[in-house]
Amino acid sequence: SVFTLALTLPCLAEASESNDFIAAQNDVNTSPHPRVLAVDDNRINLMFLTGLLDQAGCFIDSANDGLEALALVEDNVYDLALIDINMPFINGLELARRLKKLNCAFPLIAVSAYADEPQIKQALTAGFDDYITKPIEEKKLLSLLHTHAPRAFGTV
């Protein structure tokens, strides 16, 4: 079977004019662009996340799994990483443990569809600095960016 779906959606930039993302983008003109690593094995989730980060004025590197993320961390310096928990090869929890062993100084934010307390505790114990649930809300993401990378966002 082949299914076709046509949706009329506003452009993300148009839909965001009245929210904090436009303000963040304008603030970036006076502050350095934060460098963010986004890691998710689901291409659609990764595209959505990188789109939000781009609108917030970030430079973004993306990886489809933990192995790609480790390779990027070896060659780059980041202000923040947003990492999906459930991924093949190296899941987000193991990736966080490995990054902490490498003494990565940037904050790690867990991204997951699971919002239950045991999952959140497990992520924080593994080395994540914070936790955000999918679907990601723009204002929550922006708040996390300003909280965990204030120098990069010019809020310090």
Side-chain angles (χ1 to χ4, degrees):
S1 298
V2 175
F3 298 92
T4 303
L5 176 65
L7 298 173
T8 303
L9 299 173
C11 175
L12 187 57
E14 291 172 8
S16 298
E17 284 181 6
S18 64
N19 70 23
D20 296 334
F21 268 64
I22 295 300
Q25 192 171 19
N26 292 337
D27 289 345
V28 168
N29 293 332
T30 59
S31 65
H33 295 284
R35 183 124 190 205
V36 178
L37 175 62
V39 188
D40 199 315
D41 63 316
N42 181 301
R43 287 185 186 197
I44 293 171
N45 290 342
L46 191 58
M47 286 174 44
F48 178 74
L49 180 58
T50 58
L52 292 176
L53 292 168
D54 183 55
Q55 288 213 11
C58 300
F59 287 128
I60 309 128
D61 288 333
S62 61
N64 295 306
D65 59 55
L67 293 174
E68 286 182 23
L70 285 171
L72 287 169
V73 168
E74 287 180 14
D75 297 330
N76 299 287
V77 176
Y78 295 102
D79 294 301
L80 183 90
L82 291 142
I83 302 170
D84 183 33
I85 297 289
N86 295 314
M87 297 184 295
F89 310 117
I90 298 174
N91 68 27
L93 300 174
E94 180 60 27
L95 178 58
R97 287 183 197 104
R98 290 187 186 191
L99 291 173
K100 291 298 179 179
K101 283 183 182 175
L102 293 173
N103 294 319
C104 291
F106 54 89
L108 307 176
I109 309 299
V111 180
S112 179
Y114 300 105
D116 59 328
E117 193 62 34
Q119 180 81 13
I120 295 170
K121 279 186 175 181
Q122 185 180 25
L124 297 175
T125 301
F128 283 100
D129 298 289
D130 215 325
Y131 195 98
I132 189 169
T133 56
K134 297 176 187 177
I136 296 173
E137 297 175 21
E138 295 174 59
K139 287 184 179 184
K140 175 69 174 166
L141 177 61
L142 188 59
S143 175
L144 285 173
L145 295 173
H146 282 278
T147 299
H148 292 286
R151 290 187 196 284
F153 280 92
T155 53
V156 167

